[in-house]
Amino acid sequence: MTNNKMVCDLETGVCGEAGEDVMETIDLNPLQKKITLYYVTDPICSHCWALEPVLRKFEEQYGHYFDLHTVMGGLLQSWEGFADVANGIGSPSDVAGHWREVGEHSRMPIDGSLWHDNPIQSSYPPSRVFKIIQQKDEQLAMTFLRRAREAVFAFNHNIGDEQVLINLVNQLGLDGEQVVRQSGLSDGHELLDQDFALARSLGVSGFPTIIMVNEENKGVKIVGARPLESYLKGLEQVLGTTEPLQAQTLPSLKNLLEKEGLLFSKEIEVLYDLEQNQVSSFIQKGLSSADYELSEILGETYIVRK
C-alpha cells in the first residue's frame, strides 16, 4: 500500500486515489460466458457407461464453464415391437454380446449375462426414479444414476426390478419404497415425458449425446462416446474463445474416492493420465490401507471406499 492511499481529497470525497470519472459503468461478471450442457442418456446405455471416465475428467477440470443438465432419453420402453436391426438386436439375449464387446473395448467392466436369464424389460422404471430424485437433489440423482449403472453393468443386477431400485435408493439415505412408488405415479411419468420432449426438441436420437448451448442458443451436438479432445473442442467453439481453456485442479484420489465410493482402474487412469501398470502404485501413494478395499471383477481392478 502506498502513502497516496491515505490521502483524503475534499473535492472528490475520496480517501485514496480517485479515478478520472465520478461515475462509470463496470462489469464484474466472469469473462467467460456460462453455457448449458445437456447430457442425454439412459441408465442401460452401455456406451454411456463407457463414457464415464472421460465425462468425469471433463466435469472435474472444465465444469466451471458450464451448467450440466442430465436428460433421460428413453432407450427401451419395452421389448414388444423393439428391434435394433443395425446392431442385430431383436431380443434380450442379443444384447449380451453387444454389452460384452463395449466392456472389452472400453475396459469399463460389463457382465451382461442377465440378458439371458433375467432380462431388463424396460429402462423407464430407473429413469423415472432418477427424475423423482432429481426433483429433490440434482447431485443425489447423479449418484443414483452412477449406482444404478454399477449395479447393472458390473454387478449384473436387473435395475428394472422394483426391489433392486428400492435397495439402491435406500443406500442414498432416502426412503426407497416411497421414491419408487412415487416414480410409478403420474408425477414420475410426466417428468420422464418432459425429458423425452426435451430430447426430441434437441434433435437427439442416440445415446450418449452431449449438447452444449450458449446464451444465444447456439451450440454443438456431439453424438456417441468420444475422447476428451472432442468435448474440449466443442466447448471452445461454443464459448467462442481463442484462448486456451483453463483446467481446474483435479481432486486428490482420497477426496475423489470419498465422494464416489467406487472407482474402476480405467477411471483412475483417464482422470490422472496414468498407464494401467501405474495404477497400483498410484493408489498406494494416494491412499492408506484404512481408506479402501481393492477388488477385481471381469479382469478389471477397482477400489471401494471403506
Side-chain angles (χ1 to χ4, degrees):
M1 180 180 291
T2 67
N3 289 334
N4 288 339
K5 298 292 185 183
M6 295 300 295
V7 175
C8 297
D9 192 302
L10 294 178
E11 291 186 11
T12 63
V14 174
C15 288
E17 298 174 351
E20 293 183 356
D21 300 319
V22 173
M23 182 181 294
E24 60 180 306
T25 301
I26 63 172
D27 185 357
L28 296 181
N29 289 317
L31 296 177
Q32 297 287 359
K33 294 180 180 179
K34 195 96 171 182
I35 67 170
T36 300
L37 186 151
Y38 296 100
Y39 173 40
V40 189
T41 185
D42 186 274
I44 66 169
C45 165
S46 58
H47 284 295
C48 298
W49 176 240
L51 180 61
E52 294 247 330
V54 168
L55 187 58
R56 175 180 285 109
K57 188 178 181 73
F58 187 50
E59 285 186 76
E60 289 287 353
Q61 291 199 294
Y62 303 97
H64 54 294
Y65 286 105
F66 56 80
D67 291 314
L68 174 66
H69 184 62
T70 301
V71 181
M72 294 290 105
L75 184 59
L76 177 67
Q77 181 175 11
S78 73
W79 282 102
E80 185 177 349
F82 177 87
D84 183 354
V85 178
N87 289 303
I89 298 174
S91 66
S93 60
D94 296 330
V95 180
H98 168 71
W99 272 24
R100 282 196 301 273
E101 184 179 18
V102 173
E104 290 169 1
H105 177 75
S106 67
R107 290 192 40 241
M108 285 294 283
I110 301 179
D111 185 312
S113 60
L114 85 166
W115 289 109
H116 294 294
D117 50 35
N118 184 25
I120 299 166
Q121 297 302 315
S122 173
S123 66
Y124 285 23
S127 298
R128 287 194 292 265
V129 170
F130 173 88
K131 293 304 300 179
I132 293 296
I133 299 174
Q134 191 180 39
Q135 295 301 297
K136 305 174 188 292
D137 186 320
E138 181 82 33
Q139 189 54 54
L140 201 58
M142 293 304 293
T143 301
F144 165 76
L145 183 59
R146 168 65 187 209
R147 298 291 177 268
R149 284 179 169 156
E150 291 171 359
V152 68
F153 291 114
F155 302 111
N156 212 40
H157 298 305
N158 185 337
I159 60 170
D161 180 81
E162 185 174 287
Q163 190 56 55
V164 171
L165 289 172
I166 289 172
N167 292 340
L168 288 170
V169 177
N170 283 339
Q171 291 168 21
L172 302 177
L174 301 177
D175 186 331
E177 290 191 4
Q178 180 183 13
V179 170
V180 172
R181 181 171 61 252
Q182 185 181 358
S183 73
L185 301 177
S186 59
D187 284 354
H189 288 267
E190 289 172 7
L191 288 169
L192 189 57
D193 286 343
Q194 289 170 12
D195 266 21
F196 293 166
L198 176 57
R200 287 193 298 271
S201 72
L202 294 170
V204 175
S205 58
F207 318 118
T209 293
I210 285 180
I211 297 173
M212 291 178 264
V213 183
N214 62 24
E215 294 170 343
E216 288 77 38
N217 282 326
K218 296 180 180 179
V220 298
K221 179 167 69 174
I222 303 172
V223 182
R226 304 299 175 194
L228 180 64
E229 291 71 25
S230 296
Y231 302 110
L232 294 180
K233 183 178 179 180
L235 183 56
E236 289 174 346
Q237 182 176 333
V238 176
L239 289 169
T241 180
T242 57
E243 298 296 323
L245 297 175
Q246 300 300 310
Q248 290 186 316
T249 303
L250 290 171
S252 68
L253 182 59
K254 181 179 175 62
N255 289 342
L256 183 66
L257 184 61
E258 181 64 29
K259 172 188 171 186
E260 298 293 342
L262 185 154
L263 293 166
F264 292 98
S265 178
K266 183 59 181 288
E267 298 180 288
I268 299 171
E269 294 164 36
V270 170
L271 188 62
Y272 297 106
D273 293 319
L274 302 171
E275 298 295 331
Q276 187 176 3
N277 60 9
Q278 297 174 310
V279 171
S280 178
S281 60
F282 183 78
I283 291 172
Q284 291 173 15
K285 289 178 183 177
L287 302 172
S288 84
S289 58
D291 294 329
Y292 73 99
E293 292 180 358
L294 185 68
S295 298
E296 185 175 303
I297 190 166
L298 301 171
E300 290 294 334
T301 300
Y302 67 97
I303 55 175
V304 180
R305 181 186 62 225
K306 281 189 177 179

